[in-house]
Amino acid sequence: MPTDLPLPPDTSPLPPVIAGPLLRRLSPERLILWLVGSWPLQLSLQLAWSGPQGPQQRLIALDAAHCNHLRVGTHAWLHLIDVPLDRPLPMDIPIEYDLLLEEDGRQSGIADWAPHLLHEGAKRPDFVLKSRLDNLLHGSCRKPHFPCEDGLAKVDSLLAGLRERPQARPALLMLSGDQVYADDVAGPMLVAIHALIRRLGLYGEQLEGALVADSDELYVHPLTYYRREELLPAFKSTEALRERFFGGVEKPVFTTANAHNHLVTLAEVLAMYLLVWSPVPWTLIRPEPPELDAALAERYAGEQEALDAFRAQLPQAARALAHLPCLMIFDDHDVTDDWNLSARWEETAYGHPFSRRIIGNALIAYALCQGWGNNPDVFHELLHQIETLTADPDGCLDCEAQDGLIDELLKFQNWHYQLSTTPTLIVLDTRTRRWRSEIHLSRPSGLMDWEALCELQQELLDEQAAVIVSPAPVFGVKLIEAVQRLFTLAGHPLLVDAENWMAHRGAAQVILNIFRHSRTPANYVILSGDVHYSFAYDVQIRYRAGGPRIWQITSSGIKNEFPPGLLKCFDRLNRWLYAPWSPLNWLTKRRRMEVVPRIPHRGRRGERLWNGAGIGQLLLDAQGRPRGILQHNADGSAPTRFVRSAELQQASEQAESGIAESARLRRSKVE
């Protein structure tokens, strides 16, 4: 049965723009934007700024050469906007922009069709093209129904406070994984997804190998909410598929998988992107709860409360994405939990058409909604295939063409990318080019294979400094990695998400050797997410005075947190077991590295890990070294600074000295 109240099309026409614009990869010579419209829009891009020569303006018609209209539903068109500029734009000053829409002989701008994207008093959104990568925001893991504030809304408040200080604005926002949770979907979100699919006419598909014939049957099936695992086909590997794609395995060390609403179809994943990036789609639907038993109804109500709070902050999140260039890379939840964790996992997942389709649909949606905007030049052939698939599907995608596209995506090796900034920014693909264990197929694969790591080394040669984005930390919490190793040796890597750089000997040795190479940068900053807590380490090679300096900086999650009691326990045990004098350090693969944690200045005594949703900020000096590492907390509390222990001690002594001096002055006045 449908779960939404139909909106009369005559009285409730669709708006022209459903989501966006999102600013993606921007440079003085080229602007990349992403937008979704209800039909192929006739747009012009207007730019305006004030420079040494006075006010300047440009108007660029977004014709077929500058805007690719890609249809994904009856009333849903992706607008992939790519504008090369013959005259470079100025840097380090605000540049206002508008997307002017021609409709019925009238022209309207963002202030007309998306006023929520404007700051108070502004007529248009703006951006700043920074001449140096000296200031950036970063984070990962944004789960809509997690009961906390949204870190992207915090980005908006930060930008609002810097409107009069463009030189202090971040150069970009780096999202390092789990921008959507395709495998962990709240019941109310799945209901909203289905309502939006119907409202926009997002294309359906056939489902080979499933117990439902196609997407239409899936959406109305009584088991589609909270019980999708029961729709899997009955064959000898059913239990393995249930465990991997529908949360059948409990994970007692960290958390319990909650994937019984795992997204399946391409339409479902595309609708999810629209609902997490824009408040507009929520205004087009009227979702109603499905029929559920008492326990599930109670769960549904709790998820609805968290989702309502998420929805209330969506205008701020969308405004942030319209004002700050944003780059992205996937981690596992963008596709499915533990994606490509081991060779055995891949053998199981890609060996059946239904699970292969689940993964492939998430990859198609990622390519369209995230990957293309990072590096459009490598997606020409894939976009052509997608255009062919969606050109005239008569409501349902061609099954053979869809499978062929998925085959190409699974072979695609250009998800990673590099920006020629100062310092250079290199974003790693740690999911699809894995170093597989050929002897023990169930052992965790290396996060990058030998060939991919060799390419990384070539990109780093003769650079003075580099910012490397690795979704999983290269230098993580040793105790947690040790627990993961124990479970791996016991044959249960899936129970503890045993995915870290040190889990595979070959990958670990190569990445550490790259840091030690004499022609690679003197200063490395590694930005990571994934783990649902935040920390910062200073790393140096032991016994080498002139060796490179490395900073591991992790910010996670944007809207997710680690179980607080468990994290405190891990933090305390890690300090005890892996203190600088502990012999356990010599059992790790990083024994030739000196890893010194920074202290969250607002943490309790001895804490090294910070648990709280928000967004990280990195400030770099002229040599590419951190001069400030902050975590802006989504709950509105003061930002947390990660400082060296000596700095914290000095600040404490200064505070004590100030208190003592105040007390002395009070005594002298009394006397």
Side-chain angles (χ1 to χ4, degrees):
M1 295 291 292
T3 56
D4 65 308
L5 300 175
L7 292 173
D10 295 337
T11 58
S12 300
L14 290 169
V17 176
I18 299 168
L22 272 66
L23 298 180
R24 298 304 316 279
R25 185 167 174 169
L26 304 187
S27 71
E29 297 81 18
R30 189 176 183 184
L31 304 178
I32 308 296
L33 293 85
W34 181 94
L35 178 144
V36 178
S38 300
W39 58 85
L41 304 174
Q42 185 178 349
L43 297 168
S44 297
L45 175 64
Q46 186 178 52
L47 304 170
W49 67 91
S50 293
Q53 289 78 37
Q56 303 286 316
Q57 285 198 19
R58 291 190 200 174
L59 185 64
I60 303 167
L62 299 182
D63 53 19
H66 297 106
C67 181
N68 189 351
H69 299 107
L70 200 154
R71 193 171 193 173
V72 293
T74 306
H75 305 294
W77 295 73
L78 290 178
H79 292 62
L80 307 180
I81 300 170
D82 184 351
V83 182
L85 301 166
D86 52 1
R87 289 173 294 154
L89 293 173
M91 306 184 81
D92 299 320
I93 64 171
I95 300 174
E96 295 184 350
Y97 75 96
D98 208 344
L99 287 172
L100 303 177
L101 169 63
E102 297 284 345
E103 185 181 8
D104 298 329
R106 294 179 293 106
Q107 192 176 72
S108 59
I110 292 175
D112 302 304
W113 46 261
H116 62 277
L117 297 181
L118 304 183
H119 289 294
E120 185 176 356
K123 296 181 179 179
R124 292 171 287 200
D126 63 13
F127 57 83
V128 175
L129 301 170
K130 301 292 290 286
S131 55
R132 288 187 56 84
L133 190 64
D134 60 348
N135 180 349
L136 60 88
L137 301 178
H138 64 109
S140 73
C141 307
R142 184 170 177 249
K143 183 159 74 170
H145 62 282
F146 192 87
C148 68
E149 302 296 306
D150 188 353
L152 283 191
K154 185 64 180 178
V155 175
D156 176 59
S157 65
L158 291 173
L159 294 177
L162 296 172
R163 290 184 62 196
E164 303 303 321
R165 295 192 296 136
Q167 71 281 359
R169 284 176 63 164
L172 57 87
L173 170 63
M174 183 72 235
L175 300 179
S176 56
D178 300 343
Q179 282 67 256
V180 297
Y181 277 68
D183 61 337
D184 188 351
V185 182
M189 176 63 89
L190 188 56
V191 170
I193 284 170
H194 291 163
L196 189 62
I197 288 172
R198 286 189 290 274
R199 189 73 172 91
L200 300 180
L202 299 181
Y203 293 140
E205 62 189 82
Q206 301 170 44
L207 296 173
E208 183 184 354
L211 295 186
V212 289
D214 54 33
S215 53
D216 288 342
E217 189 176 342
L218 171 69
Y219 301 155
V220 300
H221 199 284
L223 300 178
T224 200
Y225 299 113
Y226 296 110
R227 298 171 63 187
R228 286 192 160 194
E229 70 275 17
E230 297 181 39
L231 296 176
L232 284 167
F235 79 121
K236 63 181 180 180
S237 296
T238 291
E239 194 60 33
L241 280 176
R242 286 180 180 174
E243 291 175 356
R244 294 307 337 117
F245 297 106
F246 296 98
V249 171
E250 289 191 351
K251 302 181 179 182
V253 173
F254 296 116
T255 185
T256 301
N258 178 24
H260 301 285
N261 289 326
H262 199 301
L263 301 183
V264 170
T265 68
L266 176 59
E268 287 181 332
V269 190
L270 290 173
M272 167 69 97
Y273 277 104
L274 298 179
L275 290 165
V276 301
W277 281 350
S278 173
V280 176
W282 293 94
T283 68
L284 309 178
I285 56 177
R286 298 175 186 171
E288 290 288 330
E291 293 184 7
L292 300 169
D293 61 36
L296 287 179
E298 182 178 358
R299 174 178 169 183
Y300 187 100
E303 292 173 341
Q304 184 68 67
E305 183 177 354
L307 206 57
D308 288 343
F310 170 79
R311 178 181 171 183
Q313 291 189 295
L314 266 177
Q316 295 99 296
R319 187 161 55 233
L321 296 172
H323 282 80
L324 189 60
C326 182
L327 299 171
M328 309 175 187
I329 191 63
F330 45 47
D331 205 6
D332 56 346
H333 296 292
D334 295 281
V335 176
T336 193
D337 190 24
D338 297 330
W339 178 31
N340 292 344
L341 181 137
S342 66
R344 181 74 70 200
W345 189 101
E346 294 186 48
E347 185 181 79
T348 302
Y350 301 128
H352 190 275
F354 186 59
S355 53
R356 188 181 182 89
R357 175 67 66 82
I358 292 172
I359 298 168
N361 283 336
L363 268 178
I364 296 172
Y366 173 84
L368 294 175
C369 300
Q370 296 194 58
W372 174 85
N374 296 325
N375 191 10
D377 292 339
V378 300
F379 284 91
H380 291 313
E381 290 300 320
L382 286 177
L383 279 185
H384 177 70
Q385 281 191 262
I386 296 172
E387 287 174 336
T388 302
L389 175 67
T390 63
D392 188 21
D394 194 26
C396 189
L397 302 173
D398 180 84
C399 186
E400 184 176 348
Q402 190 171 359
D403 288 339
L405 172 60
I406 290 170
D407 289 342
E408 292 302 312
L409 283 168
L410 293 177
K411 294 184 292 186
F412 188 66
Q413 294 195 345
N414 285 299
W415 300 111
H416 62 289
Y417 54 97
Q418 181 177 1
L419 269 65
S420 299
T421 48
T422 307
T424 188
L425 178 74
I426 299 175
V427 182
L428 305 182
D429 166 12
T430 60
R431 283 286 161 189
T432 73
R433 300 181 69 181
R434 293 272 177 129
W435 193 328
R436 299 169 184 86
S437 174
E438 298 180 1
I439 300 175
H440 303 286
L441 299 184
S442 296
R443 294 281 179 88
S445 299
L447 299 194
M448 292 171 64
D449 63 21
W450 182 83
E451 183 177 339
L453 287 166
C454 287
E455 291 174 9
L456 170 62
Q457 179 168 291
Q458 290 299 312
E459 292 168 350
L460 289 167
L461 289 178
D462 300 322
E463 293 285 349
Q464 297 304 306
V467 176
I468 297 176
V469 179
S470 168
V474 176
F475 301 91
V477 177
K478 292 179 180 178
L479 175 65
I480 294 177
E481 293 178 354
V483 170
Q484 292 172 332
R485 179 165 178 76
L486 288 174
F487 273 78
T488 297
L489 292 173
H492 301 289
L494 295 173
L495 293 179
V496 291
D497 286 332
E499 297 185 275
N500 62 74
W501 277 94
M502 302 302 125
H504 185 278
R505 182 179 299 275
Q509 288 178 343
V510 174
I511 191 70
L512 295 178
N513 284 336
I514 288 174
F515 294 139
R516 292 193 285 259
H517 195 288
S518 60
R519 285 181 56 198
T520 53
N523 297 313
Y524 288 95
V525 173
I526 304 168
L527 298 182
S528 302
D530 179 55
V531 293
H532 304 167
Y533 50 86
S534 302
F535 61 90
Y537 294 158
D538 291 10
V539 184
Q540 285 185 286
I541 299 175
R542 296 182 187 274
Y543 318 121
R544 187 193 291 182
R549 298 189 64 185
I550 305 166
W551 291 267
Q552 170 68 66
I553 303 170
T554 301
S555 176
S556 179
I558 293 175
K559 197 176 189 298
N560 213 334
E561 296 175 358
F562 204 92
L566 188 58
L567 188 65
K568 288 178 183 177
C569 179
F570 278 138
D571 196 0
R572 187 176 300 112
L573 286 173
N574 188 70
R575 295 197 305 272
W576 293 346
L577 295 174
Y578 291 93
W581 56 85
S582 171
L584 291 177
N585 289 307
W586 291 96
L587 300 177
T588 70
K589 298 180 181 67
R590 300 191 294 263
R591 54 187 170 271
R592 293 182 62 186
M593 299 284 188
E594 181 183 9
V595 181
V596 180
R598 292 201 176 198
I599 314 299
H601 89 284
R602 295 183 55 219
R604 294 184 177 87
R605 184 176 180 85
E607 284 186 344
R608 302 294 186 267
L609 308 178
W610 181 256
N611 195 16
I615 199 78
Q617 184 175 24
L618 170 64
L619 306 174
L620 295 170
D621 67 13
Q623 285 73 46
R625 301 171 301 195
R627 57 182 179 86
I629 302 171
L630 299 93
Q631 181 73 8
H632 295 278
N633 300 298
D635 62 9
S637 62
T640 302
R641 292 181 291 109
F642 289 92
V643 299
R644 299 180 182 89
S645 56
E647 296 174 37
L648 194 64
Q649 179 66 28
Q650 182 181 9
S652 176
E653 291 173 355
Q654 290 174 348
E656 291 176 2
S657 176
I659 293 171
E661 179 65 15
S662 298
R664 187 189 66 78
L665 291 173
R666 285 196 299 271
R667 286 196 303 270
S668 65
K669 288 180 180 180
V670 171
E671 294 171 356

